[in-house]
Amino acid sequence: MYPVIIALDPPPGKGWEWAFDIASKLKGKVKAFKVGWPLLLEGNRVEELKEYGPVIADLKLADIGATMIKVVKRVEADAFIAHAFVGYEGALKELREELEGKKLYLVASMSHPGSVHFIDKHWREFLLLAYLVADGLVAPATRTSVLREIRKYWSKEIISPGIGAQGARPCEALRAGADYEIVGRSVTLSEDPAKTLEEMYSCLKG
Ligand code: BMP
C-alpha cells in the first residue's frame, strides 16, 4: 500500500460513477479516498465508496458546533476535515464529542500561495487546539519548510496535499515529515491511475 490518499474531485460532467471506477482500480493500493464538495454535490454515496477503502470527508467544516454536527451526521465517512480557526468552545469541542471514534483532521496550513499571509500566521495556535481535538493535521507539500516546522511540534498524523498538479514532487512531503501524501488530479485524470500511482511512487525506492 502506498502512503497516499486519493482526492476524488471529479472534472466537470463526472460524478460518482467516475469516482467508483477510479476507486476500484486503486482498491488496496492507497490509504484512503478523500471526497469533498465537488463530488458530494453530485449526491451522497459515501457509504458505497467505503467498499473500496476508508473515506475522508473533506468538508473543511468551519461553523458553530450545532451546525457542523448536523452536517457530519449526514455523511457516513470514517474521518472529517475541519478548519481550526473556529476555535474550541461551541465549535470543535462539540464536533469532537459527536465524532467519537471517527478521525478528525484540522487544517494547519494550506498548499496555495495565499496561505502564507493568513492561515500560516496561526498554525502554532492551531496546534495547541489540535492537541485537544484532532487526530491529524493537514499541512502543505508545496511548502516543506512549514511542513518540517509543524512536524517538530506535532507527533500525530500529518496528511499533505499539493503533489503533482500543484507543483510538489512525489515523496517530497513524506521526506519532510508527512505520513501520507494527498494526490488528486495527477492520478485521477491520468489514463491509467494505478500505473501512474506506481510510477509516481517509485520515489519510495530511491
Ligand atoms: P490535487 O492533487 O488535484 O491538487 O488535489 C489536492 C486535493 O487536496 C484537493 O481535493 C484540494 O481541495 C485538497 N487540498 C489542497 O489542495 N490544499 C490544501 O491546503 C488542503 C486541501 O484539502
Side-chain angles (χ1 to χ4, degrees), residues 84 119-131:
I119 300 180
D120 281 23
K121 292 190 188 296
H122 301 283
W123 66 257
R124 287 174 183 80
E125 293 137 272
F126 294 164
L127 235 65
L128 297 176
L129 177 57
Y131 271 114

Side-chain angles (χ1 to χ4, degrees), residues 122-187:
H122 301 283
W123 66 257
R124 287 174 183 80
E125 293 137 272
F126 294 164
L127 235 65
L128 297 176
L129 177 57
Y131 271 114
L132 288 178
V133 299
D135 304 285
L137 290 176
V138 180
T142 47
R143 284 194 308 289
T144 46
S145 54
V146 177
L147 181 50
R148 275 182 217 283
E149 197 64 12
I150 291 172
R151 175 46 90 202
K152 276 192 208 162
Y153 302 101
W154 179 252
S155 54
K156 297 198 259 181
E157 201 177 306
I158 297 178
I159 60 178
S160 188
I163 308 293
Q166 295 180 55
R169 288 186 303 277
C171 293
E172 216 175 337
L174 296 174
R175 290 183 188 130
D179 297 285
Y180 301 99
E181 294 189 346
I182 299 172
V183 186
R185 291 164 288 179
S186 303
V187 165

Side-chain angles (χ1 to χ4, degrees), residues 20 26 33 41 53 57 78 80 85 90 98 100 108 111 114 129 134 159 174:
F20 293 143
L26 300 178
F33 296 101
L41 288 170
D78 302 287
F80 290 85
F85 60 75
E98 172 64 29
E100 287 187 332
S111 59
L129 177 57
I159 60 178
L174 296 174

